Amino acid sequence: MSHHLLLIIHLLCASIWVGGHVLLVFGHLPQALREKNQNIILDYERKYEPVGMTALVLLVVTGIMMAYKYGVSIEYWFHFETPIEKVVSTKLLLLLLTVLFALSAQFRVLPKLKNNPGKLPEMTFHIISVTLIGVLMLVFGSFVRFGGF
Ligand code: HEM
């Protein structure tokens, strides 16, 4: 697949991943906290999850395929030696952090949040963290066209 097509899919998925989280943070989270109503978040997550998770999986697949096209294959990851490899390795670490937050939300927070609005602050922390990490991945990705960092 051409690098350009991979980049277009990557950017579309980045819009969905980051945009979906920003909408949650600014469009739904304030009302949920004001009204202490966790269902506002749970309803949004239910609808967004299939689209968001598909976007995240495609981000990883297209990102890794583009990294290979830049010559950054698995044996170079996490060496932090060359500028593009530094961007790729940093994004992979942020991806790992995103997965850890997702697992923590899925298995620790969400089961309790369903019946307990007292878990809203913890869920808010997870949502804001994943959103900020997504924005960072976007900003770091933009460095590639300037030669990396
Ligand atoms: C939440 C996840 C991610 C977001 C929001 C994201 C976002 C972006 C954005 C906005 C760009 C800029 C493209 C441009 O300047 O035209 C980019 C580029 C890039 N990303 Fe990601 N990315 C994510 C995950 C990943 C992952 C997991 C990898 C794999 C290591 C990756 C590898 C790359 C590469 C290699 C580029 C350079 C493409 C190019 O300009 O040719 N990304 N990313």
Side-chain angles (χ1 to χ4, degrees):
M1 199 184 286
S2 82
H3 192 111
H4 192 187
L5 186 56
L6 289 171
L7 181 57
I8 291 169
I9 299 170
H10 199 77
L11 289 176
L12 252 179
C13 292
S15 326
I16 294 169
W17 181 255
V18 178
H21 281 87
V22 168
L23 180 62
L24 176 56
V25 168
F26 291 106
H28 300 279
L29 192 57
Q31 190 192 359
L33 291 173
R34 229 179 7 253
E35 297 174 9
K36 294 192 174 31
N37 179 0
Q38 70 274 42
N39 289 321
I40 294 171
I41 294 174
L42 294 173
D43 287 347
Y44 180 83
E45 293 256 330
R46 204 173 311 114
K47 280 181 248 166
Y48 173 74
E49 200 178 73
V51 187
M53 287 317 291
T54 309
L56 185 61
V57 169
L58 285 175
L59 275 169
V60 178
V61 173
T62 53
I64 290 176
M65 285 174 83
M66 288 190 295
Y68 267 71
K69 283 179 185 282
Y70 280 111
V72 183
S73 46
I74 192 163
E75 61 267 30
Y76 297 105
W77 295 357
F78 309 119
H79 289 196
F80 294 93
E81 275 169 2
T82 60
I84 307 275
E85 181 267 322
K86 276 186 203 159
V87 175
V88 169
S89 299
T90 309
K91 289 184 85 165
L92 287 168
L93 286 179
L94 290 175
L95 172 71
L96 179 70
L97 206 54
T98 303
V99 171
L100 292 179
F101 268 112
L103 290 175
S104 162
Q106 203 62 41
F107 295 108
R108 289 182 49 257
V109 189
L110 282 169
K112 292 182 198 141
L113 183 69
K114 286 189 176 113
N115 309 308
N116 178 10
K119 283 275 158 190
L120 270 171
E122 205 175 332
M123 192 61 201
T124 301
F125 174 70
H126 281 67
I127 292 169
I128 291 179
S129 302
V130 169
T131 306
L132 287 177
I133 294 169
V135 172
L136 270 184
M137 307 251 295
L138 180 151
V139 172
F140 289 167
S142 73
F143 273 88
V144 173
R145 71 169 69 196
F146 301 105
F149 50 67

